[in-house]
Amino acid sequence: LLLGEGEPSANISDPQVRQLVFSSLEKLGPKKKVMIIPPDFTRFHSLAGAITQYVFEFYGSAVTDIMPALGTHHPLSDEQRVRMFGDIPADLFRVHNWREDVLTVGKVPAELVKAASDGMLNEEWPAQVNRLVWEGGHDLILSIGQVVPHEVMGVANYNKNILIGVGGPEAINLSHFIGAVYGMERMMGIADNPLKQILNYASDQFLSKLPLFYILTVRQQAENDVLTRGLFIGNDIECFNRAAALSLLVNFTVLENALKKVIVFLDPAEYHSTWLGNKSIYRTRMALADDGDLIVLAPGVSRFGEDQAIDALIRKYGYRKTPEIIQFLRESVDLKKNLSAAAHLIHGSSEGRFRITYCAGHLTKEEVEGVGYLYGDVEAMMAKYDVEKMKDGENVM
């Protein structure tokens, strides 16, 4: 552990973060070929964009490759790249091709997969990484990101940024499905869970040959800003565990009573698909009362999946209850070949416990209802629930 700074009341300024990053990198000594793996634009508020700029400022021409950890997401547009990473030269950025440009570097034993999936799966988990990460000849790889509760992994970042963010299709599909069948409610915010143990095994056994260090932030939404509560830099599990413990304190809101109605606004600059926009469901489902209502205001959403193949599967099968998706898997080859899509369909369902009204700016009533949601007219709903006047937290209408 090079740095462990933070507590629930901390407010680490950006200049302080810059100085802490610089002092930590100085401990590593001079480097000749540096790769940076930050998150993509969906983690814009992680501070990873600014930290990437600090790393580039520190190492200069020694930085040869910057590969955003896309997972299955769309590559950054030029506008998103500039907004997140400033004036770092565009020719340093590499696009992760998750379907093709990966290597399998090892396999996690089937017994760990069986335990994590409650016996539903009994096969090895392939540890896959982008070819450039494995064969690029870097003398330092910096994985940058925010530790935050996550619907699939329990807590995001650390080795997820490598093994999923720049991982391959088999690894991504299997991990998403394991997380779905194990159950979001059983792992949300839990750093040591069966799926994370699979990634930790892969990290310990296969990634140790890489010159890999992590720069992890913990951030909290304040009234008018996002505050940095912690910064952790290192190359071992302690770096992640300390960040995860702080995240549990600042990124969870515990309620006395379940909520009957929740309104979620999806920033149109960030959310263009239900694949991403369904964080509105993942992050609220544990707080929603039975027979409650979730209303998703999604003016920028124009599609379901982040690529055409997944979009087609979502349209075909819809967001259904877990037993229905499991039955589809038994009967359908196309869904069986894309377990991450099956997992996403499970995660995006209320399991019939509460209603989901999707107010998408660029999807028709037929499209929204076709995947199992209630349809809401986005203009009418945004007039009724004016996000400019409402505040985070409880509102009385």
Side-chain angles (χ1 to χ4, degrees), residues 320-328 330 351:
R320 312 299 177 188
K321 297 177 184 178
T322 299
E324 295 177 79
I325 298 300
I326 298 301
Q327 187 60 37
F328 287 147
R330 294 191 181 105
E351 301 290 345

Side-chain angles (χ1 to χ4, degrees), residues 131-179:
R131 189 180 300 273
L132 182 62
V133 175
W134 195 253
E135 298 180 342
H138 304 93
D139 54 6
L140 179 63
I141 299 172
L142 289 170
S143 174
I144 304 172
Q146 180 182 2
V147 172
V148 66
H150 189 268
E151 64 278 0
V152 173
M153 202 60 59
V155 181
N157 227 275
Y158 185 51
N159 45 30
K160 174 185 179 290
N161 213 41
I162 306 298
L163 294 164
I164 305 298
V166 290
E170 292 83 11
I172 292 173
N173 286 340
L174 195 53
S175 64
H176 278 70
F177 188 69
I178 291 168

Side-chain angles (χ1 to χ4, degrees), residues 276-291:
L276 298 178
N278 279 1
K279 292 180 189 297
S280 57
I281 301 170
Y282 314 152
R283 303 290 169 84
T284 60
R285 63 185 301 141
M286 294 172 70
L288 271 155
D290 292 351
D291 199 38

Side-chain angles (χ1 to χ4, degrees), residues 266-325:
L266 299 179
D267 185 341
E270 292 187 47
Y271 295 99
H272 305 110
S273 67
T274 60
W275 181 271
L276 298 178
N278 279 1
K279 292 180 189 297
S280 57
I281 301 170
Y282 314 152
R283 303 290 169 84
T284 60
R285 63 185 301 141
M286 294 172 70
L288 271 155
D290 292 351
D291 199 38
D293 283 284
L294 172 63
I295 298 172
V296 184
L297 305 176
V301 166
S302 60
R303 58 185 183 268
F304 296 108
E306 281 288 285
D307 67 18
Q308 289 184 348
I310 289 177
D311 187 85
L313 289 171
I314 296 171
R315 291 174 184 272
K316 180 176 180 180
Y317 295 103
Y319 296 99
R320 312 299 177 188
K321 297 177 184 178
T322 299
E324 295 177 79
I325 298 300

Side-chain angles (χ1 to χ4, degrees), residues 98-397:
W98 70 286
R99 291 191 183 277
E100 296 179 8
D101 198 17
V102 294
L103 297 170
T104 298
V105 299
K107 293 190 175 181
V108 176
E111 53 263 30
L112 289 178
V113 176
K114 186 176 181 180
S117 63
D118 283 342
M120 192 171 294
L121 299 169
N122 189 19
E123 58 187 274
E124 295 175 318
W125 186 83
Q128 299 177 312
V129 295
N130 186 279
R131 189 180 300 273
L132 182 62
V133 175
W134 195 253
E135 298 180 342
H138 304 93
D139 54 6
L140 179 63
I141 299 172
L142 289 170
S143 174
I144 304 172
Q146 180 182 2
V147 172
V148 66
H150 189 268
E151 64 278 0
V152 173
M153 202 60 59
V155 181
N157 227 275
Y158 185 51
N159 45 30
K160 174 185 179 290
N161 213 41
I162 306 298
L163 294 164
I164 305 298
V166 290
E170 292 83 11
I172 292 173
N173 286 340
L174 195 53
S175 64
H176 278 70
F177 188 69
I178 291 168
V181 298
Y182 185 76
M184 189 184 308
E185 285 82 357
R186 294 169 67 187
M187 68 162 58
M188 183 73 86
I190 306 300
D192 184 17
N193 61 69
L195 180 54
K196 197 68 178 177
Q197 289 166 14
I198 291 174
L199 267 67
N200 289 344
Y201 180 98
S203 185
D204 292 342
Q205 298 297 317
F206 313 127
L207 299 187
S208 57
K209 67 157 278 185
L210 296 175
L212 177 61
F213 278 80
Y214 298 94
I215 302 178
L216 305 176
T217 63
V218 177
R219 311 201 80 206
Q220 183 179 25
Q221 178 72 51
E223 189 168 337
N224 297 309
D225 200 3
V226 183
L227 304 179
T228 302
R229 299 299 194 190
L231 182 67
F232 301 85
I233 303 176
N235 64 351
D236 61 8
I237 192 77
E238 183 187 0
C239 179
F240 170 71
N241 284 341
R242 289 182 58 176
L246 180 58
S247 173
L248 190 62
L249 296 175
V250 303
N251 296 137
F252 266 85
T253 301
V254 180
L255 305 173
E256 290 186 11
N257 300 299
L259 303 173
K260 293 297 291 183
K261 181 182 286 187
V262 175
I263 314 296
V264 177
F265 173 68
L266 299 179
D267 185 341
E270 292 187 47
Y271 295 99
H272 305 110
S273 67
T274 60
W275 181 271
L276 298 178
N278 279 1
K279 292 180 189 297
S280 57
I281 301 170
Y282 314 152
R283 303 290 169 84
T284 60
R285 63 185 301 141
M286 294 172 70
L288 271 155
D290 292 351
D291 199 38
D293 283 284
L294 172 63
I295 298 172
V296 184
L297 305 176
V301 166
S302 60
R303 58 185 183 268
F304 296 108
E306 281 288 285
D307 67 18
Q308 289 184 348
I310 289 177
D311 187 85
L313 289 171
I314 296 171
R315 291 174 184 272
K316 180 176 180 180
Y317 295 103
Y319 296 99
R320 312 299 177 188
K321 297 177 184 178
T322 299
E324 295 177 79
I325 298 300
I326 298 301
Q327 187 60 37
F328 287 147
L329 280 169
R330 294 191 181 105
E331 299 170 350
S332 309
V333 174
D334 56 355
L335 195 58
K336 193 178 297 183
K337 287 182 177 179
N338 202 324
L339 290 177
S340 64
H344 172 73
L345 297 178
I346 291 172
H347 282 147
S349 166
S350 72
E351 301 290 345
R353 194 172 63 78
F354 55 88
R355 290 173 292 276
I356 301 170
T357 301
Y358 233 102
C359 312
H362 307 283
L363 292 172
T364 67
K365 184 175 188 289
E366 291 73 22
E367 287 176 307
V368 171
E369 292 180 345
V371 299
Y373 295 140
L374 299 174
Y375 171 81
D377 179 88
V378 68
E379 291 185 7
M381 285 295 204
M382 289 192 68
K384 182 176 181 179
Y385 303 105
D386 188 344
V387 297
E388 296 298 325
K389 297 179 180 178
M390 298 173 73
K391 66 180 188 300
D392 283 339
E394 185 176 358
N395 293 265
V396 178
M397 306 296 290

Side-chain angles (χ1 to χ4, degrees), residues 63-80:
V63 176
T64 58
D65 304 284
I66 302 174
M67 179 177 288
L70 295 175
T72 61
H73 300 170
H74 266 307
L76 280 74
S77 67
D78 289 341
E79 180 183 354
Q80 290 173 332

Side-chain angles (χ1 to χ4, degrees), residues 86-99:
D87 58 3
I88 296 177
D91 61 6
L92 289 178
F93 285 83
R94 315 288 176 242
V95 175
H96 171 58
N97 184 338
W98 70 286
R99 291 191 183 277

